């Protein structure tokens, strides 16, 4: 025991012991000297009990300067047990005067006040000292107005007060909750609601606005950004709820507002018990584990205590990156990295035979639409042939849950990539008709994910950084967007629903115009569209649509148990006939003849149509 903890131990025992004579004084009008012997025997007799409970519950190890709700819970439990034991002690003791039965109860209440009050006083004194130390701010410090006086906002304010070396000085909050108006949190006032930002910021001499509402939808973030830009203030944000599932917010996580923040939706409510039911204690294989979606699925699966995760992919560099991340964030996790190509049936057979995965997330695929138009044979070999290998081996080796990652481009496809992913869905449905009890093979469709490799966001950022222009294919081009963490979480949830043969469709929200997205990115970079950076429309590329669809007109949807996941009413017509046509498709791919490949796709996917570029 260090000197500081020893002092806290002694202080706690003395304060708790002081509660005993105080209880006699409150219970009896004039306890002295009549009850002096009883009070002395009771107080001294209680000392060993209090010392034992102090050590057992680790009360002396609590930091008075940072005492919180959990510390209070420990304190309450210790005092409760102490009250029970002291009541027994009072019953068995036989001084000259009997000890009133209410004394131990009164003592318990007083002990809570004294011990809790000491911790509260320590925290108040510490935070006042921190606040005084941060006032006035040293050279270069920035006065921060925090948007959101909830848990994240107050936690960040407290962190700033504790760490004045960060150069951030909190000056107050803005919050739309009427119950928080004119209140103070961690010693700082709520100065108004969000719409008051242009009025409050100059009066408070704010240098910066910090959005500290992890669950805020995109429209709220957009409004704050607009108000901050109008006021000329720098604006930053804490990560969204998908990025901080642990619930902890730190100064190091503050970053500039990105376009993903403007497209935020309400947080997904996950049924974690349903997800854990099929992941916990299982060997999980994730193909394409180094890709944008695959690597995020790895991160999300790691939360549910799988027995082992198999990271399978072709790119050793991207696999190495996710390896390093797992080492850093999940050191206790058992994982294996497998450099392999899903097209290599012999290698994949070895993987299934060696590791016996019970859950498979199949994310390996070529996804770049124009590139697959130029190389249609590769789309066939990878997206169709690779899926066929993984599906057949999963069926052969008794995989319990198979989840195929599909795309909205598989609906009424106009591209080779979309058609190849539709055929991949057929393969999963074919396998679903042959599974045994306890198995489920499903596909999950969703639209574009923000920030994924090859998406428009990194391209636009690169063009803005080089001075423009930003290139958009068409003024009316729209797409559905979802953040990578949100998509991965819904994929895991869909896997937990377990409707064998289902094609799940994620609720992608409202479509977003690509031109509007480009304008948002330019403004977030501190520039003005059409003034600092031009937007140039280049024309639709081969295989692209103006509007993406998540469902075919003839399919429709049915509701699932989850409000953001739907089930496409797909036709399970003659899948065996589709498989016969597969041999024609592979033969066409081996010929390297684009026309022959497209013709084979049209026979397999009747809704596939070619769109001429404009």
């Amino acid at each position: 025991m260090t000197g500081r903890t020893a002092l806290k131990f002694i202080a706690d025992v003395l304060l708790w012991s002081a509660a005993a004579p105080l209880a006699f004084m409150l219970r009896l009008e004039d306890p002295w000297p009549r009850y002096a012997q009883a009070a002395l025997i009771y107080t001294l007799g209680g000392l060993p009990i209090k010392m034992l409970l102090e050590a057992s519950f680790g009360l002396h190890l609590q930091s008075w300067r940072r005492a919180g709700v959990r510390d209070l819970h420990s304190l309450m439990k210790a005092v409760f047990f102490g009250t029970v034991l002291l009541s027994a002690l009072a019953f068995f003791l036989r001084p000259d005067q009997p000890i009133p039965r209410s004394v131990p109860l009164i003592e318990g209440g007083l002990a809570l006040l004294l011990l809790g009050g000491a911790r509260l006083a320590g925290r108040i004194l510490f935070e006042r000292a921190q606040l005084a130390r941060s006032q006035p701010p040293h050279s270069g410090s920035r006065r921060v107005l925090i948007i959101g006086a909830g848990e994240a906002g107050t936690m960040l304010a407290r962190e700033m007060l504790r760490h004045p070396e960060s150069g951030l000085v909190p000056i107050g909050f803005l919050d739309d909750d009427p119950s928080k108006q004119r209140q103070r949190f961690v010693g700082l006032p709520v100065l108004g609601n969000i719409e008051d930002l242009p009025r409050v910021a100059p009066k408070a001499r704010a240098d910066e606005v910090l959005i500290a509402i992890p669950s805020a939808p995109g429209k709220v973030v957009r409004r704050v950004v607009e108000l901050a830009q109008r006021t000329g203030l720098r604006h930053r944000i804490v990560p969204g709820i998908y990025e901080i599932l642990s619930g902890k917010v730190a100064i190091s996580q503050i970053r500039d507002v990105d376009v993903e923040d403007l497209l935020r939706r309400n947080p997904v409510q996950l049924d974690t018990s349903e997800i854990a039911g099929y992941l916990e204690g299982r060997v999980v294989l994730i193909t394409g584990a180094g890709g944008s979606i695959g690597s995020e699925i790895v991160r999300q699966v790691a939360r549910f205590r799988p027995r082992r995760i198999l990271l399978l992919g072709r790119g050793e560099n991207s696999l190495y990156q996710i390896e390093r991340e797992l080492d850093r964030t999940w050191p206790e996790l058992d994982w294996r990295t497998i450099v392999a190509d899903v097209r290599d049936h012999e290698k994949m057979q070895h993987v299934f035979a060696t590791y016996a995965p019970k859950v498979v997330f199949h994310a390996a695929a070529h996804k770049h639409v124009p590139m697959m138009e130029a190389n249609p044979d590769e789309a066939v070999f990878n997206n169709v042939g690779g899926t066929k290998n993984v599906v057949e081996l999963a069926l052969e080796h008794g995989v319990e849950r198979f989840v195929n990652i599909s795309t909205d481009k598989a609906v009424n496809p106009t591209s080779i990539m979309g058609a190849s992913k539709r055929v991949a869905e057929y393969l999963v449905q074919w396998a679903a008709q042959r599974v045994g009890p306890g198995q489920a093979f499903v596909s999950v469709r969703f639209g574009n994910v923000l920030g994924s490799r090859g998406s428009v966001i990194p391209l636009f950022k690169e063009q803005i950084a080089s001075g423009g222009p930003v290139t958009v294919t068409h003024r009316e081009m729209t797409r559905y967007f979802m953040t990578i963490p949100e998509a991965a979480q819904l994929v895991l949830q869909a896997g937990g629903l377990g409707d064998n043969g289902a094609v799940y469709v994620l609720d992608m929200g409202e479509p977003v115009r690509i031109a509007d997205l480009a304008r948002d990115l330019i403004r977030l970079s501190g520039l003005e569209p059409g003034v600092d950076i031009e937007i140039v429309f280049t024309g639709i590329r081969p295989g692209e649509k103006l509007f993406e669809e998540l469902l075919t007109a003839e399919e429709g949807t049915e509701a699932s148990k989850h409000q953001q996941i739907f089930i496409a009413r797909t036709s399970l017509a003659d899948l065996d006939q589709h498989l016969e046509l597969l041999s024609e498709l592979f033969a066409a791919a081996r010929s390297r003849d684009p026309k022959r490949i497209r013709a084979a796709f049209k026979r397999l996917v009747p809704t596939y149509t070619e769109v001429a570029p404009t």
Side-chain angles (χ1 to χ4, degrees), residues 267-448:
V268 174
Q269 299 300 316
L270 294 178
D271 184 346
T272 54
S273 61
E274 190 171 57
I275 298 173
Y278 78 96
L279 290 179
E280 191 171 341
R282 308 298 203 284
V283 177
V284 181
L285 168 64
I286 300 167
T287 71
S292 304
I293 292 295
S295 61
E296 186 61 33
I297 291 175
V298 171
R299 296 181 190 101
Q300 300 294 340
V301 168
R303 298 169 49 214
F304 292 94
R305 297 197 296 272
R307 195 173 91 200
R308 176 179 291 168
I309 297 181
L310 306 176
L311 315 173
L312 189 143
R314 289 193 301 177
E316 72 274 17
N317 291 328
S318 55
L319 288 175
Y320 175 65
Q321 292 299 323
I322 191 66
E323 268 189 358
R324 290 181 60 194
E325 184 177 334
L326 289 178
D327 273 335
R328 186 174 64 254
T329 56
W330 298 96
E332 74 285 357
L333 184 69
D334 183 7
W335 49 268
R336 295 288 186 277
T337 302
I338 304 166
V339 178
D341 191 331
V342 292
R343 299 182 296 185
D344 185 342
H345 188 276
E346 186 176 341
K347 178 64 180 279
M348 295 304 298
Q349 172 72 270
H350 172 74
V351 170
F352 275 86
T354 303
Y355 297 104
K358 290 302 177 185
V359 179
V360 174
F361 291 95
H362 179 47
H366 288 320
K367 303 178 183 73
H368 197 279
V369 171
M371 205 169 287
M372 291 304 100
E373 291 299 307
N375 301 275
D377 53 327
E378 285 299 310
V380 174
F381 294 135
N382 195 67
N383 294 4
V384 179
T387 301
K388 184 173 183 291
N389 286 340
V390 180
V391 165
E392 289 176 346
L393 288 167
L395 200 59
E396 177 186 336
H397 289 269
V399 166
E400 296 172 358
R401 202 62 55 95
F402 184 98
V403 182
N404 171 52
I405 308 302
S406 192
T407 171
D408 56 356
K409 294 174 178 61
V411 183
N412 290 327
T414 59
S415 65
I416 289 292
M417 193 281 279
S420 67
K421 295 298 284 181
R422 187 61 177 270
V423 176
E425 290 182 2
Y426 290 159
L427 289 164
V428 176
Q429 290 177 290
W430 171 84
Q433 293 180 335
R434 288 155 178 79
V435 301
Q439 290 180 284
F441 282 50
V442 302
S443 293
V444 182
R445 281 182 197 158
F446 53 89
N448 299 275

Side-chain angles (χ1 to χ4, degrees), residues 476-545:
E476 301 301 321
M477 179 76 72
T478 64
R479 289 292 181 268
Y480 291 95
F481 283 102
M482 181 178 278
T483 65
I484 295 174
E486 182 183 10
Q489 288 176 37
L490 284 173
V491 165
L492 264 61
Q493 187 71 74
L497 297 178
D499 298 298
N500 183 46
V503 175
Y504 293 112
V505 182
L506 304 188
D507 176 11
M508 297 294 296
E510 298 298 320
V512 177
R513 288 209 306 184
I514 303 299
D516 292 341
L517 203 60
R519 293 186 185 97
D520 284 337
L521 266 173
I522 293 170
R523 290 193 179 100
L524 286 175
S525 302
L527 304 169
E528 191 61 33
V531 178
D532 304 301
I533 300 284
E534 293 295 330
I535 297 177
V536 176
F537 298 97
T538 59
I540 297 176
R541 299 174 295 181
E544 282 190 326
K545 299 179 184 179

